[in-house]
Amino acid sequence: MTHDDAFAADLLRGHTDTIVLGVLRRGDAYGFEIYKAIRDATGGDHEIKEATLYATYRRLEKDGLVESYWGDESQGGRRKYYRITDAGRAVFRGNVAAWTATRRIIDALLDVKESQQ
């Protein structure tokens, strides 16, 4: 892992809750399905460890931002599904607004347009 990769991973780690809530806004999903959605959305460039995700699911549920229920699969093991709550949607919107504002400030401070020339 290069220094740039480590820096990006640290930045992303602070947004795990928002990333998971964003996946669940598209519909209910079980744990590994969420993991795959995150990995696939980045073309495999970013993965969140499953242990980290399961800790995130527990925290989000404890905070009332997601609810869980057991699926009724006829094949294989039962899966625990997660669904975003109204409170989770509100937190997601607030976090996205905060990220957008932060990105705008950082871009201005780094003068991104100039450095791309």
Side-chain angles (χ1 to χ4, degrees):
M1 181 181 286
T2 68
H3 180 276
D4 291 344
D5 293 339
F7 183 70
D10 283 346
L11 278 175
L12 287 165
R13 194 172 301 115
H15 298 278
T16 302
D17 290 4
T18 306
I19 292 166
V20 169
L21 292 172
V23 170
L24 291 174
R25 283 179 63 240
R26 296 180 223 141
D28 298 4
Y30 60 90
F32 189 67
E33 201 171 28
I34 297 168
Y35 165 84
K36 288 189 305 187
I38 294 166
R39 184 194 62 204
D40 294 350
T42 64
D45 288 343
H46 181 67
E47 293 181 2
I48 300 174
K49 291 184 175 88
E50 285 184 73
T52 300
L53 284 174
Y54 283 98
T56 299
Y57 305 151
R58 284 191 300 275
R59 182 176 55 257
L60 290 173
E61 189 167 23
K62 182 176 77 63
D63 292 347
L65 305 181
V66 302
E67 299 169 336
S68 66
Y69 61 92
W70 290 101
D72 56 359
E73 288 76 18
S74 56
Q75 302 285 328
R78 290 178 66 207
R79 294 178 175 145
K80 187 183 246 190
Y81 286 81
Y82 299 91
R83 93 169 43 99
I84 191 169
T85 64
D86 288 343
R89 289 179 197 284
V91 166
F92 175 80
R93 286 191 300 271
N95 289 354
V96 169
W99 168 252
T100 301
T102 301
R103 184 179 63 207
R104 189 175 52 250
I105 291 166
I106 291 174
D107 285 349
L109 292 171
L110 298 178
D111 201 12
V112 172
K113 291 178 188 86
E114 284 295 317
S115 65
Q116 291 176 346
Q117 294 179 351

